[in-house]
Amino acid sequence: MRSSRTTALAVAGVLSIGLLASCSSDDADGTGEGGKVKITVAGLLPTADDAAKEQLAERVAAFEEEHPDIDVETEDYEWKASTFTTQLAGGTLPNVFEIPLTDGKTLIENGQLADIDAQVRALPYGDDFNEALLANGTGDDGKVYAVPAKSIYAVALHYNRNLFEQAGLDPDQPPTTWDEVREYAKQIHDATGVAGYATMALDNAGGWQLAAGANSRGGVIETFDGEQYTATLDDPAVAEHLQWLHDLKWEDGSLLDRTDLGWGDINTEFAAGNLAMYTSGSDVYNSLVEANGVTADWGYGLTAIPTSGDGGALTGGTMAAVTKQSTDEQKDAAVKWIDWWYLSKLQDQDQAVADARTRAEADPAQAVGTPVLPIFSKENYEQSLEWVADYVNVPLEDMTGYTDVMFDQELVPEASAAVQDLYAQLFPVVQAVISDEDADVDALLATANEAAQQAIDG
C-alpha cells in the first residue's frame, strides 16, 4: 500500500488544472461540449509543483489532440484509507481513479469497480501484463476490473547522503542490516543533532511500514492455509521490529519524536533535512521531486531494505480503475486514457520519449528513470529505459544499493484479506511504542490481532 504507497502503498493523486472538482460535476450522460465524451481522471498529488502540473497539462493536450472526441479533466486526488470509502460510496471519485494493488480483489467482490475487460484485452499489449500483478485486478469471473498502472515498488531504505558525510559515514556504503541502521542513526544524531531515523506512524501508513519491517525479518501479519486467513499481528518479527524502534527512541535518542507522520508527512520532513533515513516504496523519489523540491544534486540515496533469515522486501503498488457510474462511452475513453497516461510509455518508444522529454524539460525538471518494478517484464522494463536514456536525470549512481538487487531480492506480497484493517490495527501500536517507554508490546499486539481477525472473518 502506499496506503499502505503506502505504500505507502501510499499513492499518487491528481491536480486540478483549473477544471471541475469531481465526477459529480460531469453531465449526467457523460458528454461534454460539442458532444465529446467527458471523463475526469487522477493524475498528480495535490502538492505537486508547477512543473508537474505543466507536464500533465501537456500530456492531456496531446491526448485530446490524438482523441478529439474525448474531453479530459483532472482532479486533486490522494488515496487515503480514512476518506476513500466515503468518496467511493458518495460517487465523488473521478472516472479513472487509483487504488492500492491489494484492494482490487475486495472492491471487485463488492461490485464497486466497472468491468473494463473488453477494453483492456483490446490493447496491443493486453495479454502481456505480469500475470501475478494483473491477478489483483481480475475477478473470479476472469474479467479485468483494474490494471497495474504505476509505482509497482518494493519497500526500500531512503537516506540523506549529506548527513552521512557530516557524521563521518561513507554514503556509498549504506547499512545492510537493521543493527547497522541503528548504529548509523545514532552516529548521525550524535554528530549532527538530526534524527538518524524516522518511521511513519499515522493512519494505515504506520501499520504498512511496521509490516514491512516485520517482513524484512522473516515475519508476516497474515497466513492462509488454503481455506482460512489468519491474522498474525503477534508474529515475533512484528514485536522484534517494535523493540528496535523502541530502542532507537528510548535508548539511543536517534528516532524522530513524531507519531503523526503519514506518507506525505515523512517525505516532507526528509526533504527538509530533518531525518537521515526512513523506509518507504522504492519509487518515492518521484514524489520528493514533484512535491518536495528535491533535486538530483540534493544528496539523495536509495538502498535495499535490510533483510535477515527468510525476510524479504514488502511489495505493492497502484492500480487504475474506473467508476461503476461510468457510461460505456466513458469506459472506452477511460481505458484509452489509462493506456496513454500510465502504460503506453512502457510499450511504445514514441510515447516513452514524449513523456520523458516533457518531464525532463519542465522547469524545474521532473524525475525520469526512478527505479520501479516492471508492470510487464524485466526485458520490457529495460527496453523502455533504453528508449529514454537521453532524458534520465535521477542520481542512479546513488541508488545502486537498490538497483543492484531489485530483480534478485526476495519480494513479499501484502496481506490478501482485509489488509487495510490489519494496518489500521497496527499503527496505534507504533504510536504507543514511540510515545510510551513502558508500552506493553505483547498486550497491544494481542489486542490488535484479535480485532484484525474479526475484520478478516467479517
Side-chain angles (χ1 to χ4, degrees):
M1 113 168 219
R2 185 181 304 330
S3 28
S4 285
R5 173 272 187 251
T6 192
T7 3
L9 164 313
V11 197
V14 190
L15 184 63
S16 173
I17 310 178
L19 302 171
L20 297 184
S22 76
C23 65
S24 61
S25 59
D26 286 347
D27 292 347
D29 61 358
T31 58
E33 184 178 351
K36 295 181 178 181
V37 178
K38 182 164 62 175
I39 56 172
T40 49
V41 302
L44 303 173
L45 285 169
T47 52
D49 61 20
D50 289 343
K53 301 175 190 177
E54 292 171 5
Q55 193 263 341
L56 173 58
E58 287 187 29
R59 297 298 290 154
V60 169
F63 175 84
E64 291 180 336
E65 183 176 355
E66 182 79 11
H67 302 280
D69 58 334
I70 302 175
D71 182 14
V72 175
E73 299 181 349
T74 61
E75 292 183 6
D76 286 348
Y77 176 87
E78 183 177 3
W79 190 95
K80 291 184 177 180
S82 56
T83 58
F84 176 77
T85 301
T86 300
Q87 292 174 309
L88 183 63
T92 60
L93 292 170
N95 296 105
V96 177
F97 61 101
E98 297 170 356
I99 58 174
L101 194 68
T102 49
D103 281 15
K105 286 291 190 182
T106 299
L107 294 172
I108 293 168
E109 290 172 3
N110 291 343
Q112 294 171 299
L113 302 182
D115 173 0
I116 54 174
D117 185 76
Q119 293 86 350
V120 171
R121 300 296 186 188
L123 294 172
Y125 47 83
D127 295 325
D128 297 337
F129 285 96
N130 179 327
E131 287 298 327
L133 294 178
L134 187 63
N136 291 278
T138 303
D140 292 338
D141 57 3
K143 293 184 176 181
V144 175
Y145 293 81
V147 295
K150 64 176 184 179
S151 303
I152 306 302
Y153 61 85
V155 171
L157 183 69
H158 309 265
Y159 65 100
N160 183 319
R161 291 173 59 88
N162 294 329
L163 288 173
F164 269 50
E165 290 180 346
Q166 292 172 33
L169 296 166
D170 183 354
D172 293 327
Q173 298 293 324
T176 59
T177 68
W178 285 114
D179 285 344
E180 286 183 346
V181 173
R182 181 180 176 184
E183 292 169 8
Y184 284 32
K186 187 175 189 309
Q187 186 167 333
I188 290 169
H189 180 262
D190 290 349
T192 68
V194 175
Y197 191 85
T199 187
M200 300 177 206
L202 182 67
D203 290 338
N204 293 14
W208 169 51
Q209 284 308 292
L210 175 56
N215 294 155
S216 75
R217 298 172 183 270
V220 293
I221 61 171
E222 182 181 271
T223 60
F224 181 61
D225 63 7
E227 295 182 1
Q228 172 66 38
Y229 288 98
T230 302
T232 56
L233 274 58
D234 53 357
D235 188 301
V238 179
E240 183 182 1
H241 200 68
L242 286 166
Q243 183 64 48
W244 183 83
L245 291 170
H246 172 280
D247 293 346
L248 259 68
K249 168 66 187 295
W250 300 107
E251 294 185 10
D252 302 346
S254 59
L255 183 71
L256 187 65
D257 191 14
R258 293 277 300 274
T259 60
D260 59 346
L261 295 176
W263 183 82
D265 308 304
I266 203 166
N267 293 344
T268 299
E269 292 300 307
F270 179 70
N274 295 332
L275 62 103
M277 293 179 284
Y278 72 114
T279 57
S280 187
S282 53
D283 62 329
V284 81
Y285 184 76
N286 281 2
S287 183
L288 292 171
V289 171
E290 293 175 4
N292 302 109
V294 168
T295 58
D297 59 357
W298 179 88
Y300 170 84
L302 176 68
T303 193
I305 189 172
T307 58
S308 58
D310 295 329
L314 177 64
T315 187
T318 300
M319 302 194 84
V322 178
T323 58
K324 285 276 288 187
Q325 297 90 341
S326 299
T327 65
D328 289 342
E329 292 77 13
Q330 285 179 315
K331 289 199 298 182
D332 291 342
V335 173
K336 289 176 181 177
W337 172 256
I338 291 171
D339 170 39
W340 180 274
W341 178 242
Y342 299 106
L343 301 174
S344 63
K345 60 189 175 185
L346 302 176
Q347 291 283 344
D348 181 272
Q349 184 172 358
D350 291 340
Q351 290 296 325
V353 171
D355 181 77
R357 183 176 59 248
T358 58
R359 293 183 67 82
E361 294 179 354
D363 185 17
Q366 302 302 290
V368 178
T370 299
V372 293
L373 297 176
I375 288 175
F376 297 102
S377 67
K378 178 182 177 182
E379 292 73 22
N380 166 258
Y381 174 77
E382 292 174 339
Q383 175 67 75
S384 65
L385 284 180
E386 288 181 15
W387 290 335
V388 301
D390 291 343
Y391 299 100
V392 171
N393 56 12
V394 304
L396 289 176
E397 66 278 7
D398 298 330
M399 300 178 174
T400 56
Y402 177 73
T403 56
D404 284 351
V405 302
M406 62 183 285
F407 290 113
D408 301 317
Q409 64 181 342
E410 187 72 26
L411 298 177
V412 181
E414 290 187 275
S416 298
V419 62
Q420 300 299 333
D421 296 291
L422 271 59
Y423 293 149
Q425 293 302 322
L426 284 173
F427 84 80
V429 184
V430 179
Q431 293 180 332
V433 167
I434 295 175
S435 58
D436 180 3
E437 183 175 4
D438 298 319
D440 188 335
V441 169
D442 290 341
L444 289 168
L445 288 179
T447 300
N449 197 62
E450 182 178 353
Q453 188 62 52
Q454 291 174 356
I456 291 173
D457 294 339

